[in-house]
């Protein structure tokens, strides 16, 4: 029995309907490791379908994640975009510089790296339902889970500290607001009044963020189960 058939058999013991999920942050070119993850999910979904289960395979594009650093293939001018969400910054041109013309035409940094990967998947007949995380936040898909997280910040802090055996900063909060310049870096939450987060940036500028409108995002440890919740994920192979 193939390992994917074993997984499908275990899924059948949990129920007849499943959503298998994989995903990636489109911060650069997709490599063989990314393909390995999506092929794992695809094989499980196909084995589950062969076993008679009602199964859907989804691929989550973590385009709400920020640019973490200026990668080697980028021009130093991308320093300006560190902390900005990948869906909201311009794609690089052939020299690694921000291509503002393509960005004004609706092609983001995330799109630039995702599209060639989508085309490659079609060539090997892997066709998941793609879910764009930035769009999901903006359209309110995370509204309920974000409010649950913010209303239970102390409980979540206790769980993370107990499981990870490390202490979170005193100003930790389960929401990363976007500042007035579009960055989610260096911002401290000062108050929570459901559904509004108040914040202050490193220069003392203050503002608010509505968690139901995607004016920020959940930290990854909370974003992950939140995606499972609103999508209805029942299986993820973890790459």
């Amino acid at each position: 029995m193939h390992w994917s058939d074993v997984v499908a058999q275990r899924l059948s013991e949990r129920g007849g309907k499943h959503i298998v999920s994989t995903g990636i942050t489109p911060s650069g070119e997709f490599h063989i490791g990314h393909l390995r993850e999506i092929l794992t999910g695809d094989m499980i979904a196909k084995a589950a379908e062969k076993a008679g289960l009602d199964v859907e395979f989804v691929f989550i594009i973590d385009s709400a994640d920020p640019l973490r650093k200026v990668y080697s293939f980028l021009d130093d001018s991308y320093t300006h975009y560190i902390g900005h969400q990948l869906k909201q910054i311009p794609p690089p041109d052939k020299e690694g510089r921000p291509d503002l013309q393509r960005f004004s035409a609706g092609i983001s940094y995330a799109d630039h790296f995702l599209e060639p990967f989508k085309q490659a998947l079609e060539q090997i007949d892997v066709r998941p339902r793609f879910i764009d995380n930035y769009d999901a936040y903006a359209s309110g898909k995370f509204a309920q889970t974000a409010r649950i997280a913010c209303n239970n910040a102390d409980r979540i802090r206790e769980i993370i500290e107990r499981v990870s055996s490390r202490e979170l900063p005193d100003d930790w909060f389960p929401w990363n607001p976007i500042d007035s310049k579009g960055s989610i870096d260096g911002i401290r939450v000062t108050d929570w009044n459901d559904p509004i987060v108040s914040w202050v940036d490193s220069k003392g500028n203050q503002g608010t963020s509505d968690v139901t409108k995607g004016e920020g995002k959940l930290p990854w440890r909370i974003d992950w189960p939140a995606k499972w919740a609103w999508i209805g994920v029942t299986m993820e192979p973890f790459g």
Side-chain angles (χ1 to χ4, degrees):
M1 181 179 285
H2 193 268
W3 62 264
S4 60
D5 295 318
V6 175
V7 176
Q9 183 176 352
R10 291 176 180 172
L11 288 177
S12 68
E13 296 169 358
R14 301 180 186 177
K17 187 173 183 178
H18 294 278
I19 295 181
V20 178
S21 168
T22 66
I24 199 67
T25 299
S27 55
E29 289 187 354
F30 285 60
H31 53 69
I32 194 66
H34 300 139
L35 187 61
R36 187 259 191 226
E37 170 163 338
I38 196 169
L39 285 178
T40 300
D42 183 64
M43 283 188 282
I44 291 171
K46 287 177 178 175
E49 185 176 0
K50 185 177 67 175
L53 303 181
D54 180 358
V55 61
E56 182 181 23
F57 180 35
V58 302
F59 185 85
I60 300 168
I61 307 157
D62 286 313
S63 57
D65 288 358
L67 183 69
R68 301 292 183 187
K69 62 179 182 179
V70 177
Y71 299 102
S72 60
F73 52 84
L74 298 175
D75 183 78
D76 287 343
S77 56
Y78 268 96
T79 301
H80 172 73
Y81 296 107
I82 292 177
H84 292 237
Q85 294 173 298
L86 300 178
K87 190 75 170 184
Q88 291 295 297
I89 62 177
D93 62 17
K94 293 181 179 179
E95 285 73 40
R97 296 189 293 262
D99 191 334
L100 299 179
Q101 184 174 354
R102 291 175 65 210
F103 189 48
S104 63
I107 301 173
S108 70
Y109 184 103
D111 300 326
H112 173 81
F113 291 107
L114 179 66
E115 287 308 313
F117 188 63
K118 284 184 175 180
Q119 294 171 17
L121 292 180
E122 288 182 2
Q123 294 178 29
I124 58 174
D125 196 30
V126 176
R127 305 176 189 275
R129 173 165 66 98
F130 290 94
I131 297 175
D132 188 294
N133 222 26
Y134 178 87
D135 293 343
Y137 273 104
S139 63
K141 294 289 197 307
F142 281 89
Q144 181 180 3
T145 51
R147 291 180 61 232
I148 291 172
C150 293
N151 282 321
N152 291 275
D154 291 340
R155 293 177 63 188
I156 294 174
R157 171 191 285 274
E158 187 279 325
I159 292 170
I160 292 176
E161 290 185 336
R162 171 164 45 85
V163 173
S164 67
S165 299
R166 72 181 185 88
E167 188 174 344
L168 294 173
D170 291 339
D171 60 356
W172 179 88
F173 192 76
W175 183 257
N176 297 137
I178 302 174
D179 69 13
S180 56
K181 296 182 178 180
S183 175
I184 64 175
D185 281 359
I187 306 174
R188 182 170 58 88
V189 172
T190 57
D191 189 38
W192 162 245
N193 184 17
D194 190 0
I196 304 298
V197 167
S198 299
W199 54 264
V200 60
D201 66 18
S202 58
K203 295 183 179 180
N205 300 309
Q206 299 180 13
T208 60
S209 169
D210 187 334
V211 304
T212 67
K213 296 180 179 179
E215 298 174 352
K217 71 179 296 292
L218 297 163
W220 72 268
R221 282 189 178 88
I222 303 136
D223 176 275
W224 209 337
K227 287 181 289 195
W228 291 345
W230 76 260
I231 296 171
V233 173
T234 59
M235 198 284 163
E236 182 168 311
F238 293 100

